[in-house]
Amino acid sequence: MNILVINAGSSSLKYQLIDIANETMLLKGLCDRIGMKGGSLTQKTADGRSFRIDEDMPTHKEAIELVLKALVDKEAGAISSVSEIGAVGHRVLHSGEDFHSSVVIDDEVVRICEKNAELGPLHMPGNIACIKSCREVMPGVPMVAVFDTTFHSTMPPKAYMYGIPYSVYQQYKIRKYGFHGTSHKFVSEEAVKYLGAEHSRIIICHLGNGSSISAVKDGKCIDTSMGFTPLEGLIMGTRSGDIDPAAVEFLRVKLGMTPEDTVQYLNKKCGMLGISELDSDMRVLEKAISEGNEKAALAVEAAAYRIKKYIGSFAAALGGVDAIVFTGGIGENSSYMRRLVMEDMDYLGVVFDFEENEKRMDGLHVLSDPESYVKVIVLPTNEELSIARETAALVSAAPAMA
Ligand code: ADP
């Protein structure tokens, strides 16, 4: 069965067509500038054929129509008819407290997503618009919502509660939710398979532009670093991560910003970009560090130190750790960041192989010494495949509901 995986933002839409029988990606593409002038679709097949359409897409509906056109294009597509799409998997940012796993989409699911849109105002409108458009343009094709949050729904209340009045939590659902769930799920499942043990305590470090860490016990998430929104936790590319809430108000007044601007500022202008006052991209920062840029060095050191502290606290939460896994653009590629994080970790039973860390790697790669009590692993994430797996599993389990 071919699964179309859709990851929609407010003005962009990424997609992949995956043949789930052998878990191969047939093609991937991007619709850019939805709702703006100068829209375009770019697509690339697994065998290297590229395709581009320059066309404005006033709404997500026109974007989906363009995607379907590109998928079946004689020269650049991968299928000859839309009927070859067995199901669509939609990445949806927020489940609220309503869903604890992925769901087959029906009218009620759409209604609940609309109710929860206020929890993710930047992403949810695009996610919902895409779901509605797909249902309109591809009637009868089963669709599944795969949430960024549900992998973390196994966190116990003591982990997800903030120190605020219980009634306020209940009324407004203000609590830790966690994000990047599709990645944490995929990577932890692969790590569990690799470890091959019945019981496991794993810390997943997903380090990309956005970064988060999760603590996974026997395959279930018990804690994670992101919170009510993806702003909490690590120092990321442009996000501040943890910060004293009182400092936020102080900063807002001093910089003369509105509350909305302040949240935007903490999301877009802070993190490693803010500290370095240079860039958010790890490759640019590494180059600057090699040229002696001290603020770039401080930005990366502060980010690494925060990761190290979360690893320590999650090891405590898990009651020990069997494996630490690095994934995401930085986790998979930056030996510099991994080295800073893993220095002086012998207290935890880690014997890190610093030479192995510097090697080029492709696929799962072990960075700990054979005698290390804790395994340290680099494991490439694949969020689209994770969504496709979930979609296929639900659609085959409940064809009648689809
Ligand atoms: P997103 O969160 O947008 O999915 P990615 O997981 O693609 O982001 O990660 C992007 C980050 O990975 C950027 O900071 C980028 O510089 C970093 N990165 C990618 N390749 C390398 C590399 N070879 N060395 C160091 N950092 C890298």
Side-chain angles (χ1 to χ4, degrees), residues 15 17 25-30 41-53 69-80:
Y15 62 96
L17 189 66
M25 193 266 290
L26 302 176
L27 57 74
K28 63 177 168 182
L30 167 73
L41 174 149
T42 45
Q43 176 175 286
K44 199 165 185 178
T45 53
D47 56 14
R49 286 169 291 137
S50 302
F51 185 52
R52 182 181 173 105
I53 309 176
K69 203 162 130 188
L71 291 177
V72 301
D73 185 86
K74 279 203 172 58
E75 262 103 63
I79 49 175
S80 51

Side-chain angles (χ1 to χ4, degrees), residues 14 180 206-210 272 280-284 286 328-330 333-334 383:
K14 285 191 230 161
H180 288 144
H206 174 110
L207 312 177
N209 286 317
M272 295 199 288
S280 62
D281 192 292
M282 189 63 193
R283 283 164 294 200
V284 177
E286 283 187 26
I330 296 174
N333 297 300
S334 176
E383 295 177 77

Side-chain angles (χ1 to χ4, degrees), residues 57-78:
M57 298 158 275
T59 69
H60 285 78
K61 184 162 176 233
E62 287 79 20
I64 295 290
E65 285 168 345
L66 213 54
V67 169
L68 295 184
K69 203 162 130 188
L71 291 177
V72 301
D73 185 86
K74 279 203 172 58
E75 262 103 63

Side-chain angles (χ1 to χ4, degrees), residues 21-165:
N22 43 24
E23 299 201 332
T24 47
M25 193 266 290
L26 302 176
L27 57 74
K28 63 177 168 182
L30 167 73
C31 294
D32 213 7
R33 300 184 65 79
I34 299 170
M36 303 176 207
K37 284 256 162 293
S40 67
L41 174 149
T42 45
Q43 176 175 286
K44 199 165 185 178
T45 53
D47 56 14
R49 286 169 291 137
S50 302
F51 185 52
R52 182 181 173 105
I53 309 176
D54 287 296
E55 196 172 307
D56 286 351
M57 298 158 275
T59 69
H60 285 78
K61 184 162 176 233
E62 287 79 20
I64 295 290
E65 285 168 345
L66 213 54
V67 169
L68 295 184
K69 203 162 130 188
L71 291 177
V72 301
D73 185 86
K74 279 203 172 58
E75 262 103 63
I79 49 175
S80 51
S81 151
V82 172
S83 63
E84 290 172 46
I85 301 171
V88 181
H90 291 271
R91 179 178 187 175
V92 180
L93 179 81
H94 222 301
S95 61
E97 288 191 320
D98 297 288
F99 303 108
H100 300 286
S101 60
S102 307
V103 280
V104 175
I105 297 172
D106 58 16
D107 292 347
E108 179 64 359
V109 170
V110 176
R111 194 191 60 73
I112 296 171
C113 287
E114 283 174 330
K115 180 199 70 153
N116 288 333
E118 66 172 358
L119 296 174
L122 294 180
H123 296 86
M124 290 297 278
N127 297 161
I128 296 164
C130 233
I131 290 174
K132 286 183 165 174
S133 306
C134 273
R135 294 182 86 205
E136 221 178 302
V137 176
M138 307 166 74
V141 178
M143 316 228 168
V144 169
V146 181
F147 300 95
D148 254 24
T149 47
T150 48
F151 179 65
H152 307 296
S153 68
T154 45
M155 279 190 288
K158 67 179 177 187
Y160 69 64
M161 280 303 292
Y162 290 127
I164 59 172

Side-chain angles (χ1 to χ4, degrees), residues 18 23 32 36 50 85 98 108 126-127 129 170 206 224 246-247 255 264-265 276 319 322 329-330 358 375 385 394:
I18 293 176
E23 299 201 332
D32 213 7
M36 303 176 207
S50 302
I85 301 171
D98 297 288
E108 179 64 359
N127 297 161
Q170 269 188 318
H206 174 110
T224 191
L255 299 190
Q264 184 79 348
Y265 179 83
S276 68
D322 301 306
I330 296 174
E358 298 303 325
K375 293 233 171 328
L385 179 56
L394 272 175

Side-chain angles (χ1 to χ4, degrees), residues 294-306:
E294 288 180 12
K295 280 195 289 184
L298 176 62
V300 176
E301 271 171 32
Y305 180 65
R306 183 77 58 87

